[in-house]
Amino acid sequence: MGLHDGHRKRLKAQFLAHGEDFHDHQLLELLLCYAIPQGDVNELAHALLERFGSLSGVMDALPDALRQVPGVGEHTAVLLKLVPKLAGRYFEDRSSLGTILDTSRAAMDFLRPYYRQGGRNEMVYLVCLDGKHKVLGCHKLGEGSVNAADITPRRVVEAVLSNNATAAILAHNHISGLALPSNADLATTRRLWEILQEVGVELVDHLIFADDDMVSLKDSGVFQGYVRRN
């Protein structure tokens, strides 16, 4: 048994017993054990946290930036980038279909996992609902920004028609950290509201996420100025 094998074994046992109490450096150290099979990785865990400022900063760092830290090779960089992607897919899968989204809070809880990946781009989703606001499907419309991403009328209509939806919720995130709607957000909301109305689908809300914050355009009164067509 190597010098550090006993420590790794104890670390794994402690995680299985009390993983919820682990500090960030302990979680990162344990993860690094699976990329670097031998040696002490405690110092590397601390070095990564110091370099990138936080655990999320480490996971969000670009591969080239990670490899600039002494001790980080290809395997380590791949593993560090894999974890947030895998976590994002896990939370998306947990957001099960059939959930009722009849309040902005319920919609926020459903969509929050889609924005836990620490992405560097804005991501736009459309949640398709039935008449009782039960989730029928969640479609990624584009990545970039809400106005620059490929959100074409055809793409939106195809999404709602493919699920035979009667209502929908639009959502995107701001990487600036501020959830306040921009003029582009408001213009896009109005445009998609009109497009969906033409095919008999109600745009129920547009949620904007930023870090731990969320703004509902419906709750903000934005939709009150929209005029329905007969």
Side-chain angles (χ1 to χ4, degrees):
M1 178 179 290
L3 178 64
H4 302 289
D5 289 347
H7 171 68
R8 291 184 175 214
K9 186 174 181 179
R10 289 191 297 273
L11 189 65
K12 293 175 183 178
Q14 290 170 5
F15 173 76
L16 291 177
H18 307 288
E20 67 277 3
D21 297 326
F22 263 36
H23 296 293
D24 287 354
H25 74 272
Q26 292 175 297
L27 291 171
L28 188 54
E29 179 184 0
L30 180 57
L31 182 63
L32 291 172
C33 289
Y34 292 93
I36 304 173
Q38 295 181 342
D40 183 5
V41 293
N42 180 272
E43 291 187 5
L44 179 56
H46 282 284
L48 284 165
L49 289 171
E50 182 177 354
R51 172 69 178 272
F52 298 107
S54 64
L55 187 61
S56 61
V58 174
M59 298 300 175
D60 290 345
L62 296 174
D64 288 343
L66 289 169
R67 285 193 289 263
Q68 291 177 7
V69 178
V72 176
E74 181 182 16
H75 291 312
T76 301
V78 169
L79 183 62
L80 292 175
K81 298 307 298 180
L82 174 64
V83 168
K85 293 294 185 184
L86 183 61
R89 295 291 177 87
Y90 166 77
F91 283 116
E92 287 181 17
D93 193 55
R94 284 289 301 272
S95 297
S96 58
L97 302 182
T99 304
I100 302 294
L101 305 185
D102 53 358
T103 66
S104 58
R105 178 56 187 267
M108 179 189 73
D109 291 341
F110 177 86
L111 283 158
R112 175 69 71 185
Y114 289 81
Y115 297 106
R116 283 179 176 163
Q117 303 177 45
R120 295 178 177 274
N121 295 324
E122 293 186 7
M123 296 177 289
V124 186
Y125 288 92
L126 187 74
V127 184
C128 296
L129 310 170
D130 68 7
K132 296 182 179 180
H133 290 185
K134 181 174 70 176
V135 176
L136 301 174
C138 186
H139 301 264
K140 187 175 183 179
L141 295 181
E143 185 168 347
S145 66
V146 71
N147 57 314
D150 185 21
I151 309 176
T152 63
R154 178 178 178 180
R155 191 177 182 88
V156 173
V157 171
E158 285 179 348
V160 294
L161 292 183
S162 67
N163 289 120
N164 195 26
T166 57
I169 295 174
L170 182 68
H172 81 284
N173 62 311
H174 283 177
I175 59 176
S176 64
L178 297 175
L180 296 176
S182 65
N183 290 333
D185 295 335
L186 297 175
T188 300
T189 303
R190 180 61 178 264
R191 174 169 167 262
L192 293 185
W193 187 87
E194 293 174 346
I195 291 171
L196 289 172
Q197 190 185 34
E198 290 179 357
V199 293
V201 176
E202 176 190 7
L203 182 61
V204 176
D205 206 343
H206 181 177
L207 305 184
I208 302 175
F209 291 85
D211 295 333
D212 295 327
D213 195 14
M214 186 278 289
V215 169
S216 160
L217 295 195
K218 179 182 179 181
D219 291 350
S220 300
V222 171
F223 286 21
Q224 293 179 4
Y226 296 172
V227 179
R228 297 182 181 278
R229 299 174 184 173
N230 295 326

